């Protein structure tokens, strides 16, 4: 059969060559002479390949057979070992694999019952545990129970304030909505908003206006102001709107603050200065305090604001040096804030500078003392210390609630260190009652200085007056 298949191509080649290339019949004999050797070669090649394949299959399958038999032997040995181990350790009444079947084949298997769940359910509370059959509480008992609940409140009593209401509060809030302005009082959820806007016991109405939008480019862990990498564009009419609103309100003291705008080329320095100049034009009698960002510590951006006509330049250090990274955004730091305060004093020595420290975030007394000393060394004139209060559950927790006695201690320390004024209290903020705290203290000192100057002038005049001779 193989010879026939091998000879078939030779015959086909002969036909093709004869018909296409050489019409001569004598060439056929030549082709037939070469055709037989070719067929022989094909035949021996096929036989050799088949023999080699047969030998290879035999050796390969023999090897596989040996490996399979070895694995079967190993599995049988392992099965016997398991049977022996189970028979030695299991109870005699338990069957395993090929053991004999019990004689009682008609018995049904017992139903599995979750006794632990049933037992817990039976031992649980009953309806009587929820229905109280005791007599109603007496008024004295009810009062005692209410007082015990109040003692377990989250906030100490000295941190609770009234909800901001009143005609003055409503009027200011309405004006803010009409002019599309923002206040840090509302954005930061300040507890003193009603007292500041209403004027307080001294009748000095104050407000803190937040310019450059309501969205900050930084994310400090204590602040509840909205954050975004790309806040909206600045309102070109905002300086005039702010000045018009403040002139209409008739405020005595205003604090201008802003969000951080790291997305702007000058970080908002020119906008800040323009707002101060607009207020000064429309309300020249108003005292202006500016609570500014750090402008990344750039002196060329700090100077325009310091020279814009404000009365107080404020920049908050926020917390002690060791807690800066925990409390503030990574772009703010202790030395950078100290540089801002120092450079303001160098730019305009007569300008009052101010800073604020939050307490209750994990600082120690030694750290607070060192921070106050550093502020005084930087030339800061006014310092405020207040309790940190957690705005929402997304912000950092309060480490402790500092007592009013401790705040009074720090106020005394501030006076001893030489600050022009130190305001320290649980509800004190950087701009809390700014007019009341600042103006009353400064006026008192100015009045005392004026009285001393008048007395000195009178005494000097008496000494220089001519003597009347009899």
């Amino acid at each position: 059969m193989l010879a026939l298949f091998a000879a078939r191509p030779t015959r086909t080649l002969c036909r093709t060559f004869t018909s296409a290339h050489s019409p001569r019949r004598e060439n056929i004999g030549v082709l037939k002479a070469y055709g037989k050797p070719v067929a022989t070669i094909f035949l021996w090649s096929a036989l050799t390949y088949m023999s080699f394949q047969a030998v290879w299959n035999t050796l390969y399958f023999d090897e596989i057979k040996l490996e399979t038999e070895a694995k079967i032997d190993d599995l049988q040995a392992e099965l016997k070992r398991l049977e022996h181990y189970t028979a030695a350790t299991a109870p005699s009444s338990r069957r395993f694999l090929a053991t004999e079947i019990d004689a009682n084949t008609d018995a049904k298997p017992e139903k599995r019952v979750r006794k632990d769940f049933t037992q817990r359910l039976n031992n649980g509370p009953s309806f009587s545990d929820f229905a109280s059959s005791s007599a109603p509480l007496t008024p004295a008992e009810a009062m005692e129970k209410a007082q015990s609940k109040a003692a377990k409140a989250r906030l100490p009593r000295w941190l609770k304030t009234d909800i901001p209401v009143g005609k003055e509060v409503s009027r200011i809030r309405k004006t803010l909505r009409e002019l599309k302005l923002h206040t840090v009082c509302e954005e930061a959820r300040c507890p003193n908003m009603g007292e500041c806007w209403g004027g307080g016991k001294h009748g000095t109405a104050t407000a803190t206006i937040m310019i450059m939008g309501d969205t900050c480019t930084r994310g400090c862990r204590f602040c509840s102001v909205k954050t975004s990498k790309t806040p909206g564009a600045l309102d070109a009419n905002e300086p005039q709107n702010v000045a018009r609103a403040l002139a209409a309100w008739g405020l005595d003291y205003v604090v201008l603050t802003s969000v951080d705008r790291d997305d702007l080329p000058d970080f908002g320095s020119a906008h800040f200065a323009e707002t101060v100049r607009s207020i000064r034009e429309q309300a020249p009698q108003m005292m202006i305090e500016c609570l500014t960002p750090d402008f990344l510590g750039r002196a060329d951006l700090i100077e325009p604001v310091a020279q814009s006509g404000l009365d107080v330049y404020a920049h908050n250090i926020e917390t002690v040096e060791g807690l800066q990274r925990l409390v503030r955004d990574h772009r703010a730091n202790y030395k950078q804030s100290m540089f801002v305060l120092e450079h303001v004093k160098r730019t305009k020595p007569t300008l009052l500078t101010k800073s604020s420290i939050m307490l209750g975030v994990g600082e120690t007394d030694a750290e607070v003392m060192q921070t106050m000393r550093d502020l005084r060394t930087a030339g800061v004139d006014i310092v405020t210390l207040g309790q940190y209060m957690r705005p929402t559950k997304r912000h950092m927790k309060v480490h402790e609630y500092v007592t009013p006695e401790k705040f009074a201690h720090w106020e005394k320390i501030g006076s001893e260190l030489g600050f022009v004024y130190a305001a320290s209290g649980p509800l004190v903020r950087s701009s809390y009652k700014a007019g009341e705290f600042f103006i009353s203290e400064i006026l008192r000192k100015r009045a005392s200085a004026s009285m001393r100057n008048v007395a000195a002038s009178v005494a000097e005049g008496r000494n220089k007056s001519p003597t009347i001779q009899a």
Side-chain angles (χ1 to χ4, degrees):
M1 182 66 69
L2 291 174
L4 293 176
F5 279 108
R8 186 174 179 179
T10 305
R11 289 196 302 269
T12 302
L13 180 63
C14 292
R15 293 192 193 100
T16 302
F17 184 83
T18 304
S19 60
H21 299 280
S22 179
R24 300 176 183 180
R25 296 288 181 180
E26 56 270 16
N27 292 333
I28 297 176
V30 176
L31 293 175
K32 288 184 178 181
Y34 285 102
K36 291 182 180 180
V38 171
T40 305
I41 293 172
F42 274 109
L43 178 62
W44 280 107
S45 299
L47 291 175
T48 304
Y49 173 76
M50 293 176 62
S51 302
F52 178 77
Q53 187 70 22
V55 174
W56 170 258
N57 290 341
T58 302
L59 295 176
Y60 179 72
F61 285 112
D62 287 345
E63 184 178 359
I64 293 177
K65 181 178 179 182
L66 292 175
E67 292 180 357
T68 305
E69 290 178 353
K71 290 182 179 179
I72 292 174
D73 294 340
D74 293 340
L75 291 174
Q76 289 178 349
E78 182 68 17
L79 183 61
K80 290 181 180 180
R81 187 183 67 80
L82 291 174
E83 290 179 357
H84 177 73
Y85 174 78
T86 305
T89 57
S92 58
S93 61
R94 184 177 179 181
R95 299 193 306 269
F96 183 78
L97 295 180
T99 56
E100 296 181 356
I101 300 176
D102 294 339
N104 187 12
T105 57
D106 296 334
K108 295 181 179 181
E110 296 183 0
K111 186 177 179 180
R112 183 180 178 184
V113 181
R114 298 180 61 182
K115 295 183 179 180
D116 54 345
F117 175 77
T118 305
Q119 185 177 1
R120 283 186 294 168
L121 185 62
N122 294 333
N123 296 335
S126 61
F127 179 75
S128 59
D129 295 327
F130 298 96
S132 176
S133 59
S134 59
L137 296 176
T138 62
E141 293 175 343
M143 182 63 69
E144 182 180 357
K145 187 175 182 180
Q147 291 176 353
S148 64
K149 288 184 178 180
K152 297 179 181 179
R154 291 183 297 173
L155 290 178
R157 53 179 175 78
W158 59 80
L159 287 175
K160 296 188 177 180
T161 58
D162 297 330
I163 298 175
V165 292
K167 294 182 179 180
E168 189 68 17
V169 174
S170 301
R171 183 176 68 86
I172 293 177
R173 184 179 282 117
K174 181 180 179 181
T175 308
L176 288 171
R177 299 297 176 268
E178 292 175 352
L179 297 177
K180 298 180 180 180
L181 299 178
H182 308 279
T183 64
V184 75
C185 314
E186 294 178 299
E187 298 295 333
R189 305 180 184 183
C190 181
N192 309 308
M193 184 172 61
E195 187 177 358
C196 290
W197 287 10
K201 60 182 180 180
H202 294 287
T204 303
T206 61
T208 302
I209 303 297
M210 188 168 68
I211 61 176
M212 296 195 289
D214 61 347
T215 305
C216 186
T217 56
R218 299 187 184 182
C220 298
R221 297 186 62 199
F222 65 90
C223 185
S224 63
V225 177
K226 294 182 293 186
T227 59
S228 174
K229 292 183 179 179
T230 56
L234 295 180
D235 183 6
N237 299 323
E238 187 177 46
Q240 296 297 327
N241 290 338
V242 170
R244 192 181 308 115
L246 295 177
W249 290 343
L251 298 176
D252 306 303
Y253 193 100
V254 64
V255 179
L256 289 180
T257 187
S258 74
V259 293
D260 283 278
R261 293 300 300 263
D262 298 306
D263 60 312
L264 301 176
D266 65 342
F267 304 100
S269 174
H271 192 87
F272 223 121
E274 179 62 26
T275 305
V276 175
R277 286 191 290 267
S278 298
I279 297 173
R280 187 60 70 197
E281 291 175 0
Q282 299 193 31
Q285 78 288 350
M286 188 177 298
M287 301 191 68
I288 304 174
E289 174 186 331
C290 289
L291 177 58
T292 71
D294 55 20
F295 301 116
L296 281 184
R298 288 180 52 179
D300 59 320
L301 301 180
I302 299 171
E303 294 170 2
V305 181
Q307 297 172 352
S308 61
L310 70 164
D311 299 293
V312 181
Y313 193 111
H315 175 69
N316 290 342
I317 198 70
E318 303 297 359
T319 186
V320 299
E321 186 174 9
L323 297 176
Q324 291 283 318
R325 291 302 301 272
L326 175 66
V327 175
R328 306 177 72 186
D329 186 89
H330 66 91
R331 284 162 286 191
N333 60 75
Y334 190 82
K335 294 182 179 179
Q336 186 168 274
S337 295
M338 285 294 179
F339 172 78
V340 172
L341 296 167
E342 290 176 355
H343 191 71
V344 169
K345 213 57 174 174
R346 287 194 297 265
T347 303
K348 193 174 181 180
T350 58
L351 190 63
L352 291 173
T353 53
K354 178 182 176 182
S355 190
S356 180
I357 306 173
M358 289 186 304
L359 301 184
V361 296
E363 70 286 338
T364 63
D365 291 351
E367 290 176 323
V368 176
M369 176 64 75
Q370 185 60 46
T371 304
M372 295 179 70
R373 288 174 178 168
D374 293 342
L375 289 174
R376 194 69 196 99
T377 304
V380 175
D381 301 298
I382 303 170
V383 64
T384 61
L385 298 95
Q387 170 69 52
Y388 164 66
M389 297 175 67
R390 190 182 189 186
T392 66
K393 292 183 179 180
R394 299 190 302 271
H395 295 80
M396 65 177 186
K397 296 181 179 180
V398 178
H399 186 269
E400 66 170 330
Y401 290 109
V402 183
T403 62
E405 293 76 16
K406 193 67 175 180
F407 279 108
H409 165 73
W410 291 122
E411 185 172 348
K412 181 181 177 182
I413 294 296
S415 300
E416 293 175 355
L417 290 175
F419 287 99
V420 175
Y421 184 66
S424 179
L427 293 175
V428 170
R429 296 295 179 265
S430 176
S431 55
Y432 167 56
K433 300 301 291 176
E436 181 180 332
F437 284 153
F438 175 77
I439 294 175
S440 60
E441 184 68 15
I442 296 300
L443 290 180
R444 183 182 64 81
K445 291 187 176 182
R446 286 182 178 178
S448 300
S450 178
M451 290 179 64
R452 288 195 298 270
N453 292 336
V454 170
S457 299
V458 171
E460 185 178 355
R462 287 178 180 177
N463 294 333
K464 292 184 179 180
S465 61
T467 305
I468 300 176
Q469 298 180 356

